[in-house]
Amino acid sequence: QTPLKKTNALIAQMGITFLNAYVPSALCCPSRASILTGKYPHNHHVVNNTLEGNCSSKLWQKIQEPYTFPALLKSMCGYQTFFAGKYLNEYGAEDAGGVGHVPPGWSFWYALEKNSKYYNYTLSVNGKARRHGENYSVDYLTDVLANMSLDFLEYKSNFEPFFMMISTPAPHSPWTAAPQYANSFQNVSAPRNSNFNIHGKNKHWLIRQAKTPMTNSSIQFLDDAYRKRWQTLLSVDDLIEKLVKKLELNGDLDNTYIFYTSDNGYHTGQFSLPIDKRQLYEFDIKVPLLVRGPGIKPNQTNKMLVANIDLGPTILDIAGYDLNKTQMDGMSLLPLLRGDKNVTWRSDFLVEYQGEGYNGSDPTCPGLGPGVTHCFPDCVCEDSYNNTYACVRTLSTSWDLQYCEFDDREVFVEVYNLTADPHQINNIAKTIDQEILEKMNYRLMMLQSCSGATCRTPGVFDPGYRFDPRLMFSNHGVRARRFSAQTLQGI
């Protein structure tokens, strides 16, 4: 069962499915910024969903927006560009120019003010505010985005190439389904994998604090959320069908690449965390990536390690732009899409996240002290200041491994061998070979300070990897921590 039957038939079965696609940061704003810039968070400096965390801030607008891949497509490659939907969580904030700000690079701009909604929202229509109410037939956001997209395809110029980015908030909360889908999937509940509703032993304290077993009300809530998310995706499935049909009608389908992906994963009950994202595990960092288009054979799967920082370079490469002129950290997927033989590809990438927390204690959970946030009624908190970590995620012929370090007082380390333990239940940091730990620690420091081409150097398990033990720091405090508030203000 899947809510995306048409998407599967029209994109996956007509093209390629990437089985190992990831986001470097499992949270909306940093992840979307990575898609737009082709950069890791430590290079685009968007660290969380707040203006202070650089989400759609004046600084982001000045330093990063002019160099996003749509800006290059429009100015350097002559593309007409179209955006519709959720841009960045703080887009439209008064302190950052309001909805009058239209980022460079977009010929047509229909952006949602602030974060995900389905009704009663404001759109920036090329810089002018347009209010929407709660009448399904004219206001349901997923359908509004579909209609605007179809209009663009109807009236666009046929003399210039085009790029569209349609960014539906669905399946984001508040999970409001279209009325015709509100009773779908009544028998669906969240997956009960082996890491569902168990205690996260040997994990970071934030995971260990989750109550196990979960309360019945928490389980009911997460099952309900899972079902509602699926319901909202039925409208996304309709949108994709309408778009593909329109492209076909226009005669554009055979020479158009279509990418389908998400900005983060989501957990529902794993390690007894009810619902959220922003953790380092597969369920939060792994996303779908389906692509169809010219030169892509149907019904393929690809196991290479790909990340959302690769989308910008790929699209620029398709447009014929010289990627050496960019500062992007990602790699073009075009050789993989075409099925080129003997492609040299990465064996690892960086995951990084800066925890969000409030200065005060959470009133519902005073026992947990200050610095926690996103707490549930039964005092399970999904984030904290020191939920700040960086990981190397490695996938090579010999290893399927994740190595993570927390930026907290204990410099907590988590290591998982996903070949033996795909659900990441056993932290093997204390038992894994010391030499591997040292190499991974060194590789993590390299990646945390990388930029552009240095982000694409050989990983620990590549034949070309060089390791100099003399470069190891015994003192963890020296490491290239990119994420303090001071560095942000100093940019």
Side-chain angles (χ1 to χ4, degrees):
Q1 236 184 337
T2 166
L4 293 165
K5 288 199 170 86
K6 302 170 191 173
T7 303
N8 196 30
L10 294 169
I11 307 181
Q13 288 171 24
M14 300 306 289
I16 189 166
T17 300
F18 286 93
L19 300 174
N20 293 299
Y22 290 88
V23 294
S25 200
L27 188 62
C28 336
C29 208
S31 186
R32 285 158 184 269
S34 284
I35 292 172
L36 289 161
T37 60
K39 295 177 183 177
Y40 282 123
H42 70 260
N43 288 329
H44 62 56
H45 306 290
V46 176
V47 295
N48 57 37
N49 286 345
T50 65
L51 270 180
E52 301 73 49
N54 219 10
C55 181
S56 214
S57 66
K58 282 267 172 42
L59 195 66
W60 153 266
Q61 292 171 18
K62 186 173 139 198
I63 294 179
Q64 301 299 336
E65 272 187 350
Y67 306 102
T68 61
F69 80 85
L72 295 172
L73 274 182
K74 185 168 184 273
S75 62
M76 308 305 285
C77 308
Y79 272 64
Q80 46 193 329
T81 55
F82 168 93
F83 182 88
K86 175 176 166 179
Y87 178 58
L88 299 173
N89 299 51
E90 286 293 330
Y91 172 75
E94 283 308 309
D95 297 353
V99 293
H101 169 70
V102 178
W106 299 103
S107 330
F108 300 91
W109 177 253
Y110 302 97
L112 180 66
E113 179 191 33
K114 299 285 185 80
N115 201 359
S116 307
K117 284 186 173 180
Y118 295 78
Y119 292 111
N120 298 315
Y121 53 86
T122 297
L123 288 180
S124 168
V125 178
N126 299 318
K128 302 272 189 294
R130 182 196 288 168
R131 288 279 310 141
H132 275 266
E134 46 193 299
N135 174 349
Y136 170 71
S137 60
V138 290
D139 296 318
Y140 187 66
L141 184 60
T142 311
D143 295 354
V144 169
L145 299 180
N147 293 335
M148 287 170 166
S149 304
L150 296 173
D151 280 353
F152 168 74
L153 288 173
E154 180 69 28
Y155 298 112
K156 70 178 172 59
S157 153
N158 288 329
F159 302 104
E160 297 168 315
F162 69 95
F163 169 74
M164 305 175 75
M165 188 167 182
I166 303 158
S167 181
T168 69
H172 198 288
S173 62
W175 316 304
T176 315
Q180 70 272 31
Y181 296 136
N183 295 312
S184 307
F185 305 121
Q186 287 304 320
N187 58 342
V188 165
S189 53
R192 301 311 203 241
N193 290 334
S194 54
N195 55 9
F196 180 83
N197 201 11
I198 65 167
H199 184 250
K201 60 181 191 305
N202 300 326
K203 290 181 165 40
H204 191 241
W205 75 268
L206 186 69
I207 311 298
R208 295 198 306 268
Q209 56 89 33
K211 306 279 187 300
T212 311
M214 290 182 283
T215 59
N216 286 346
S217 59
S218 276
I219 292 178
Q220 197 174 347
F221 181 73
L222 68 85
D223 276 337
D224 200 34
Y226 192 86
R227 192 161 41 249
K228 287 176 175 165
R229 286 163 64 79
W230 273 32
Q231 291 167 358
T232 67
L233 283 171
L234 289 169
S235 296
V236 176
D237 207 35
D238 291 342
L239 175 153
I240 283 164
E241 180 186 43
K242 289 172 194 163
L243 275 174
V244 172
K245 280 186 168 163
K246 182 68 178 164
L247 286 166
E248 192 166 27
L249 199 64
N250 285 3
D252 285 329
L253 187 57
D254 290 342
N255 57 2
T256 300
Y257 287 90
I258 305 174
F259 293 76
Y260 177 91
T261 191
S262 175
D263 55 357
N264 51 251
Y266 207 66
H267 56 257
T268 42
Q270 288 88 346
F271 305 127
S272 303
L273 296 168
I275 58 161
D276 199 38
K277 49 238 174 177
R278 69 184 93 223
Q279 310 306 345
L280 55 85
Y281 307 102
E282 292 285 285
F283 43 73
D284 284 0
I285 61 174
K286 202 167 189 177
V287 290
L289 177 58
L290 318 171
V291 193
R292 69 170 284 176
I296 303 179
K297 295 190 179 71
N299 247 325
Q300 289 187 81
T301 56
N302 185 295
K303 289 183 176 164
M304 296 295 193
L305 199 53
V306 301
N308 69 5
I309 53 173
D310 300 333
L311 295 169
T314 304
I315 291 164
L316 289 173
D317 197 11
I318 288 169
Y321 188 72
D322 178 1
L323 295 178
N324 294 326
K325 293 182 181 166
T326 73
Q327 297 297 305
M328 294 184 175
D329 304 332
M331 303 167 68
S332 169
L333 302 173
L334 197 50
L336 302 184
L337 297 177
R338 288 191 185 131
D340 293 0
K341 298 282 177 274
N342 304 327
V343 180
T344 317
W345 200 253
R346 68 161 74 84
S347 65
D348 66 11
F349 77 99
L350 174 70
V351 181
E352 49 189 356
Y353 177 66
Q354 179 174 340
E356 283 183 85
Y358 297 121
N359 285 329
S361 296
D362 188 291
T364 54
C365 305
L368 283 171
V372 294
T373 177
H374 297 83
C375 297
F376 276 79
D378 40 9
C379 271
V380 176
C381 299
E382 293 276 4
D383 209 359
S384 67
Y385 275 132
N386 69 359
N387 184 37
T388 295
Y389 56 79
C391 308
V392 181
R393 179 73 180 86
T394 290
L395 187 60
S396 67
T397 45
S398 46
W399 284 95
D400 187 353
L401 193 70
Q402 187 174 14
Y403 169 89
C404 301
E405 286 181 20
F406 281 84
D407 193 8
D408 60 8
R409 259 178 258 151
E410 46 180 347
V411 193
F412 194 80
V413 175
E414 292 188 32
V415 184
Y416 298 98
N417 171 1
L418 284 99
T419 311
D421 177 25
H423 296 304
Q424 295 170 295
I425 292 165
N426 303 308
N427 177 7
I428 56 169
K430 293 198 166 59
T431 55
I432 195 169
D433 181 49
Q434 189 61 30
E435 191 193 352
I436 290 182
L437 276 185
E438 285 182 3
K439 282 184 173 178
M440 294 306 263
N441 167 278
Y442 174 60
R443 180 66 179 153
L444 183 61
M445 287 193 296
M446 299 277 294
L447 283 171
Q448 278 190 285
S449 53
C450 78
S451 175
T454 55
C455 297
R456 305 189 287 272
T457 52
V460 170
F461 299 105
D462 283 357
Y465 178 75
R466 296 284 171 268
F467 172 58
D468 182 351
R470 289 168 306 186
L471 297 173
M472 293 297 303
F473 296 149
S474 53
N475 176 358
H476 279 278
V478 191
R479 87 168 41 269
R481 288 291 173 208
R482 314 294 291 184
F483 274 166
S484 67
Q486 292 73 26
T487 40
L488 270 181
Q489 277 135 22
I491 292 164

